[in-house]
Amino acid sequence: MKKIFIAVFLTLFPVCRLLSQYSIKGTVVDSNSEKPLVGVLVSIINTTIKLNTNADGSFSIKNLSNGSYILQISAKTYETQNFPVEINGNTIDLGQIPLYHDIAEDQDLSLITITDDELNDDASAADNISGLLQATRDVFLRTAAFEFSASFFRIKGLDSGNGKVLINGTEMNKLLDGRAQWSNWGGLNDVLRNQEFSNGLAPSSFTFGGVLGSTNINTRASEQRVGTRVSYASSNRSYVHRVMATHSTGILNGGWAFTFSGSRRSGLEGFNEGTTYNAHSLFTAVDKKLNDTHSLNFTGIFAPNRRGKSSPNTQEVFDLKGIRYNDYWGYLNGKRINSRIKEVIEPILMLNHYWNFSENTTLQNNISYQFGQIGNSRIDFNGGANPSPSYYQTLPSFFLQNNDFESAFKERETFINEGQLDWNRFFDANITNRNAGVSDAYVLYEDRNDDKQFTFNSILNSVLTDNITLNAKIEYRQLRSSAFAEVIDVLGGSGYLDINPFADTEIKKQNNLLNPNRVVGVGDKFRYNYTLDSDIVNAFVQTQFKYKKVDFYTALSLSQTNHQREGLYQNGRFENNSLGPSEKLNFTNYGIKGGITYKITGRHIIDANVGYLTNAPTIRNSFSNVRENNNTVENIESEKIFTSDISYILRSPIVISRITGYYTNIQDATEISFFFADGIGGDNTAFVQEVLSGIAKRHMGLEVGIEAQITPTITLKAAASIGQFTYANDPDLYLTSDVANVGGFDSDFRSKDYVSLLKNLRIASGPQQAFSVGFEYRDPDYWWIGATTNFFADTFVDVAPLNRSANFYEDTDGLPFTDYDPVLARVLLQQERFKDYMVVNLVGGKSWKIGDKFVSIFATVNNLLNKEYRSGGFEQGRNANFRQLRDDKALDNPIFGNRYWYGRGTTYFLNVNLRF
């Protein structure tokens, strides 16, 4: 019997051991509605145990032995909760666990708010951090979005085209310039909250991504926050008023779900004078669950918007008129009318098919069609004087160079007291010409791009094993674009003559030899007219491996890109190379990347990534003078990028931090600039296209973000970006022009080849050093306040490459100027570094629960101390040689000095929100 008892005991011991293991269970609900929350992440800190709540909001973590645990419950838009749990011979039932909405989610300092703070210049890239506001909890990245963006800070010093923006897995970056047009979905903040952000090279389920990562915005109606939300916002930044309303039904009987949203943003004037704003936004999403494996979602977005631009100005103009001055507007019939309006009308239609092959494999098929127009208005004046109120011949400096003090004083007083566009002068000139039977002197027109873009893709995600996940995608994108100038208003005249008055023969004056000396009116196309076709096929495959101590991934992408121009006008300056199709440009590109995450412990993590990718040139950088001829950039190549980063991440109950070192090397980049220059090929004047190719750039630095929970209510935050962004070589340069009666150009209107000495000069990418320290207080009674102090340094002006070439010192005979002084030249060409500055920002909010309704108010004050600072600028290329620049810089106020943008003074943003 004794032997039998021992045998039975040994047999049952593992069973007894198993039975002595316990579980933690509970049900997660919304604190307001008390409805169960599905898909909430439940995990035990410092273990690999993770699961999601079921359809009824419940969870159960089994097979736990006796001991102490910290249970963490987290979900998007809710505050994360930690529960200490002690298991001592019993199963723990936590019952109903209410999750509270994160007050920060009601801040509503929304995507379009940051986007509207970018430079009005079309080449602006400050929108590269717009999507970070709601897509990431990373301390550094959110600081960059909230605190650094007003200074036009660029993450890693890179253009926003290096980051991919997707909606429901469909890439939205424009084929024209590679950047996302955020205003296409501006004012729809409520329905853009579901975002997946991949930082840098980190893997994404939807795209290979770029050096700056990717943001995928999920607009499925079935995944929107259920209920109704109404808000009002006021600001003095870009728009003044915004009203927004959103309603989402959730999943109804029959598997239908609907979401509708709309907003109106308006303002007669933002911070800069004359910057009008007028925008409407409409959104609809309809989701239908066909069966257990198939679902369809339709998304429609229509967000037309008009915005007045503001001008970059010289220091002389700022000294006379202040930082709010904008020379693009003037009074007409008592109203401020801006001549430079950017109008965007580009609806988006999208159909998404979701197919659950199995529990572990999904296939998403997407079809997207975007169409519409982008217009940028301005005044043309082929029969009149330059209309700009800050034109150099009307400023005091122009007269002071000849010691004409009386005229200088007179113009100074006129500019201070008036200094805006004189619309009445344009009407008077045109009416006079009309009465004399002469074509108009002035016309208001817009440069238009009418695009039609079609996209189709399929995205496969499959969990192959418990440790291995496969992601794959194939995509086709097609762009058909029409570009032309169109007359908006003849300004009291009878018609405008479509010629280039600066050409030297009657034939070369013609913008279209097929219809010479044409007089155009409202709605007519003129100046230029062409189409652009672009087709891209790309695919990527990615494998992710996840284990207890190590995660790693590899990814590969392949693409084929084609660009072609077709001229619809036969330009008189380019008779044989403007009408009809151009050469078709073909580029084959690839990318490869990989990374590894080593979990030293649950709190200490090392993450490293490396990648090499090539990018086809954008359409904008493929044709040297796309408006007038079919010439492609000579010897154009794909851009080549090597990038790497390594991070140390700390996640403790008190401190969360990340420190990242990065290095990015870019080769064979191309840039095209357009400007009027004096001193071409010795002493000639021409409007030129400057083609800079084979550019190499180096971006390296550190990113640091630290957040410390000092007390349950007080959090300290700090962030730093310490970078150095420089040109890494001396790229090739050549000029083209459409005027043949000047020296420096051959019979094809092309200059000789130059080398631009840019190596080690700084890239103009906003502040290269940025620091932020601040705190946040969150009261248990649902109000909070925060403040930050932000320091910025190493902001540099954008240099003029032509001035760093042999053209700067060569005379008409190709020899150096006899009076050329290399020591003085180095002084003249010294890259300007802006003064360091500090900005203080305040933020705060309060929320209330009134019955079943939720009310919140949120406000920010930026630049509390009203600090004036330069946020960007560029050297004017007008003074293209040593003599021109020397004589101009010898003046107290150079006539063609650098042009600057200034940061805004004190601004505010206030939002009141009702949710039910």
Side-chain angles (χ1 to χ4, degrees):
M1 290 295 296
K2 183 177 181 181
K3 292 180 179 179
I4 294 174
F5 175 80
I6 293 174
V8 171
F9 175 79
L10 293 175
T11 302
L12 294 179
F13 179 76
V15 177
C16 297
R17 177 78 174 179
L18 180 62
L19 292 174
S20 68
Q21 293 183 335
Y22 307 98
S23 62
I24 303 174
K25 61 182 181 179
T27 301
V28 182
V29 299
D30 182 280
S31 63
N32 296 322
S33 66
E34 297 185 353
K35 292 182 179 179
L37 295 176
V38 183
V40 174
L41 179 63
V42 181
S43 61
I44 293 182
I45 293 178
N46 297 330
T47 74
T48 58
I49 298 174
K50 294 181 181 179
L51 54 82
N52 295 100
T53 56
N54 300 322
D56 60 356
S58 66
F59 68 90
S60 179
I61 301 177
K62 301 178 181 179
N63 300 328
L64 296 174
S65 56
N66 290 331
S68 299
Y69 302 93
I70 297 180
L71 184 74
Q72 185 174 87
I73 301 176
S74 59
K76 285 184 179 179
T77 76
Y78 290 90
E79 294 180 352
T80 298
Q81 300 218 31
N82 293 332
F83 294 90
V85 177
E86 184 77 27
I87 294 180
N88 186 15
N90 61 325
T91 291
I92 304 296
D93 186 350
L94 297 174
Q96 276 199 356
I97 303 170
L99 280 193
Y100 297 90
H101 286 281
D102 189 346
I103 297 176
E105 291 297 327
D106 293 306
Q107 292 174 3
D108 212 20
L109 183 58
S110 51
L111 303 176
I112 194 62
T113 302
I114 292 298
T115 303
D116 287 341
D117 282 347
E118 70 182 76
L119 297 177
N120 286 319
D121 178 20
D122 291 335
S124 169
D127 56 342
N128 63 334
I129 55 179
S130 300
L132 300 176
L133 288 174
Q134 296 162 1
T136 179
R137 292 291 185 181
D138 182 89
V139 179
F140 172 80
L141 294 177
R142 289 185 69 82
T143 300
F146 282 111
E147 311 297 345
F148 296 165
S149 60
S151 291
F152 307 107
F153 171 84
R154 295 187 190 177
I155 293 176
K156 296 181 173 64
L158 293 169
D159 183 275
S160 63
N162 288 284
K164 302 299 182 183
V165 179
L166 302 92
I167 297 179
N168 298 335
T170 297
E171 184 175 330
M172 304 307 296
N173 293 58
K174 289 288 188 180
L175 295 182
L176 179 66
D177 58 11
R179 303 186 183 111
Q181 182 77 40
W182 284 90
S183 60
N184 282 152
W185 48 87
L188 297 170
N189 316 19
D190 290 346
V191 293
L192 302 178
R193 297 177 180 276
N194 295 333
Q195 300 181 15
E196 178 184 301
F197 176 71
S198 297
N199 185 25
L201 294 178
S204 165
S205 302
F206 302 93
T207 179
F208 182 85
V211 179
L212 289 178
S214 64
T215 299
N216 181 62
I217 303 171
N218 179 0
T219 64
R220 289 191 69 177
S222 60
E223 298 184 14
Q224 296 290 335
R225 179 189 289 175
V226 177
T228 301
R229 183 181 176 112
V230 180
S231 66
Y232 167 78
S234 177
S235 176
N236 66 338
R237 298 174 184 174
S238 48
Y239 57 76
V240 179
H241 306 285
R242 186 194 69 192
V243 178
M244 182 166 55
T246 302
H247 177 71
S248 187
T249 65
I251 301 177
L252 303 174
N253 293 334
W256 290 93
F258 300 89
T259 296
F260 305 99
S261 185
S263 74
R264 172 81 167 92
R265 290 164 291 152
S266 64
L268 295 177
E269 188 171 79
F271 182 83
N272 293 103
E273 297 173 350
T275 51
T276 58
Y277 200 105
N278 188 10
H280 298 80
S281 301
L282 295 172
F283 172 95
T284 182
V286 180
D287 203 332
K288 169 61 175 172
K289 184 177 181 180
L290 302 177
N291 52 45
D292 290 340
T293 58
H294 293 276
S295 297
L296 290 176
N297 183 84
F298 168 78
T299 298
I301 299 174
F302 183 48
N305 58 90
R306 288 171 53 89
R307 181 174 62 191
K309 297 183 180 183
S310 61
S311 58
N313 301 309
T314 63
Q315 188 59 49
E316 177 184 14
V317 172
F318 278 117
D319 290 340
L320 294 173
K321 300 290 283 187
I323 66 172
R324 297 186 65 230
Y325 174 72
N326 175 19
D327 79 351
Y328 293 157
W329 69 272
Y331 284 105
L332 180 62
N333 297 325
K335 296 182 179 180
R336 293 187 177 190
I337 305 298
N338 194 319
S339 65
R340 303 243 183 149
I341 298 290
K342 181 171 184 177
E343 182 175 37
V344 179
I345 307 174
E346 293 191 307
I348 301 170
L349 304 175
M350 189 176 294
L351 183 65
N352 312 108
H353 169 231
Y354 301 90
W355 183 4
N356 296 324
F357 269 89
S358 65
E359 183 179 349
N360 296 323
T361 302
T362 63
L363 180 68
Q364 180 179 336
N365 300 304
N366 307 305
I367 297 175
S368 174
Y369 181 63
Q370 184 175 12
F371 60 98
Q373 64 187 56
I374 297 178
N376 290 277
S377 67
R378 61 189 306 158
I379 296 173
D380 197 35
F381 52 99
N382 68 16
N386 192 309
S388 171
S390 62
Y391 183 53
Y392 76 96
Q393 293 183 11
T394 63
L395 292 176
S397 57
F398 179 75
F399 301 94
L400 289 175
Q401 67 176 331
N402 298 317
N403 296 320
D404 184 353
F405 299 106
E406 181 179 353
S407 296
F409 177 78
K410 178 182 177 182
E411 293 299 330
R412 179 181 183 276
E413 293 303 301
T414 299
F415 186 67
I416 291 175
N417 295 324
E418 300 175 12
Q420 301 301 149
L421 280 179
D422 189 348
W423 289 101
N424 291 325
R425 175 165 67 96
F426 309 148
F427 278 86
D428 290 343
N430 283 352
I431 292 172
T432 300
N433 285 8
R434 183 183 65 189
N435 293 335
V438 180
S439 59
D440 300 342
Y442 300 93
V443 68
L444 181 67
Y445 78 99
E446 67 177 350
D447 294 306
R448 277 272 295 279
N449 286 93
D450 289 6
D451 292 352
K452 297 177 181 178
Q453 183 166 311
F454 170 80
T455 304
F456 170 78
N457 64 49
S458 289
I459 305 170
L460 176 71
N461 291 292
S462 181
V463 179
L464 302 180
T465 71
D466 290 342
N467 307 107
I468 303 175
T469 301
L470 174 69
N471 315 111
K473 179 180 183 179
I474 186 167
E475 183 173 61
Y476 170 68
R477 304 175 70 196
Q478 178 194 81
L479 172 68
R480 300 294 181 259
S481 177
S482 297
F484 51 88
E486 181 176 284
V487 177
I488 298 175
D489 197 320
V490 293
L491 305 178
S494 58
Y496 191 73
L497 186 61
D498 183 17
I499 63 168
N500 180 345
F502 299 101
D504 58 343
T505 68
E506 285 302 314
I507 289 179
K508 291 177 180 177
K509 286 182 179 180
Q510 301 304 318
N511 291 322
N512 184 14
L513 288 172
L514 302 179
N515 195 352
N517 294 317
R518 177 175 173 238
V519 176
V520 296
V522 175
D524 289 336
K525 298 176 182 178
F526 77 122
R527 290 174 59 97
Y528 62 90
N529 190 3
Y530 62 92
T531 64
L532 291 169
D533 294 347
S534 187
D535 296 271
I536 298 178
V537 178
N538 65 72
F540 98 97
V541 62
Q542 176 177 268
T543 310
Q544 301 182 61
F545 304 84
K546 295 184 180 295
Y547 297 96
K548 183 176 181 180
K549 295 289 288 184
V550 176
D551 298 341
F552 60 95
Y553 72 93
T554 59
L556 173 69
S557 71
L558 294 171
S559 66
Q560 177 69 37
T561 302
N562 302 315
H563 299 319
Q564 188 173 37
R565 175 193 188 271
E566 181 174 4
L568 303 180
Y569 282 1
Q570 185 177 21
N571 188 288
R573 278 86 66 198
F574 304 95
E575 288 185 71
N576 301 318
N577 192 30
S578 54
L579 184 66
S582 72
E583 168 194 358
K584 180 175 284 189
L585 298 175
N586 299 291
F587 304 95
T588 300
N589 299 98
Y590 67 94
I592 185 170
K593 67 178 182 178
I596 185 170
T597 301
Y598 177 66
K599 291 163 275 191
I600 303 171
T601 68
R603 297 180 179 179
H604 302 273
I605 299 171
I606 300 293
D607 182 77
N609 304 274
V610 63
Y612 182 83
L613 54 153
T614 65
N615 293 324
T618 62
I619 302 175
R620 173 168 285 177
N621 287 329
S622 295
F623 298 91
S624 59
N625 185 3
V626 70
R627 289 183 175 177
E628 297 190 336
N629 61 58
N630 285 332
N631 290 335
T632 60
V633 171
E634 297 176 8
N635 303 315
I636 191 167
E637 295 186 38
S638 292
E639 188 177 80
K640 303 167 184 67
I641 303 176
F642 170 81
T643 184
S644 61
D645 63 72
I646 185 168
S647 302
Y648 166 70
I649 301 168
L650 171 63
R651 296 172 179 163
S652 74
I654 296 177
V655 177
I656 299 174
S657 68
R658 172 174 68 88
I659 179 169
T660 298
Y662 61 87
Y663 175 85
T664 299
N665 187 33
I666 301 173
Q667 301 284 338
D668 292 323
T670 301
E671 295 177 2
I672 301 176
S673 303
F674 302 82
F675 56 91
F676 196 85
D678 293 326
I680 301 295
D683 195 26
N684 303 291
T685 298
F687 183 80
V688 300
Q689 297 80 47
E690 177 188 78
V691 181
L692 202 63
S693 60
I695 308 169
K697 303 176 184 179
R698 184 181 298 115
H699 299 249
M700 56 186 180
L702 290 174
E703 295 175 348
V704 181
I706 302 174
E707 185 175 85
Q709 192 73 44
I710 303 302
T711 72
T713 57
I714 297 177
T715 303
L716 299 183
K717 299 182 291 184
S721 175
I722 306 169
Q724 187 178 76
F725 318 133
T726 59
Y727 290 99
N729 74 334
D730 297 325
D732 298 323
L733 183 151
Y734 70 91
L735 304 175
T736 65
S737 178
D738 64 356
V739 180
N741 60 344
V742 298
F745 297 94
D746 60 22
S747 59
D748 293 324
F749 310 101
R750 186 195 185 284
S751 75
K752 67 179 182 179
D753 291 318
Y754 295 106
V755 172
S756 183
L757 304 180
L758 299 182
K759 188 174 183 179
N760 296 324
L761 292 180
R762 297 297 186 100
I763 297 169
S765 58
Q768 301 196 8
Q769 318 288 332
F771 307 88
S772 178
V773 293
F775 78 93
E776 184 178 285
Y777 172 80
R778 286 179 175 262
D779 193 90
D781 197 25
Y782 293 100
W783 65 269
W784 65 286
I785 189 171
T788 58
T789 301
N790 306 282
F791 305 87
F792 301 94
D794 284 359
T795 305
F796 293 86
V797 76
D798 196 6
V799 298
L802 183 60
N803 285 3
R804 275 79 181 174
S805 72
N807 181 80
F808 185 69
Y809 58 81
E810 286 184 354
D811 208 336
T812 53
D813 56 6
L815 298 174
F817 293 119
T818 55
D819 54 351
Y820 180 70
D821 182 348
V823 176
L824 177 58
R826 281 194 293 272
V827 175
L828 295 175
L829 296 177
Q830 181 70 36
Q831 186 177 18
E832 182 181 2
R833 177 182 181 274
F834 299 160
K835 292 181 180 180
D836 302 344
Y837 57 95
M838 179 186 75
V839 174
V840 177
N841 298 331
L842 296 180
V843 61
K846 175 77 171 83
S847 63
W848 300 266
K849 183 182 179 184
I850 304 174
D852 60 350
K853 297 176 178 60
F854 190 83
V855 179
S856 65
I857 184 170
F858 167 75
T860 66
V861 178
N862 282 4
N863 196 1
L864 179 68
L865 304 181
N866 202 29
K867 177 69 176 178
E868 286 193 3
Y869 60 90
R870 293 172 180 166
S871 60
F874 58 91
E875 296 177 354
Q876 294 195 69
R878 182 69 180 254
N879 296 310
N881 67 28
F882 171 76
R883 288 172 174 168
Q884 298 279 351
L885 189 61
R886 176 198 61 193
D887 295 346
D888 195 25
K889 285 202 170 184
L891 303 174
D892 291 336
N893 282 309
I895 296 174
F896 298 109
N898 297 342
R899 286 186 175 268
Y900 306 108
W901 284 279
Y902 269 70
R904 295 185 173 99
T906 302
T907 61
Y908 75 91
F909 179 86
L910 173 68
N911 185 76
V912 180
N913 176 76
L914 170 64
R915 189 173 72 244
F916 55 93

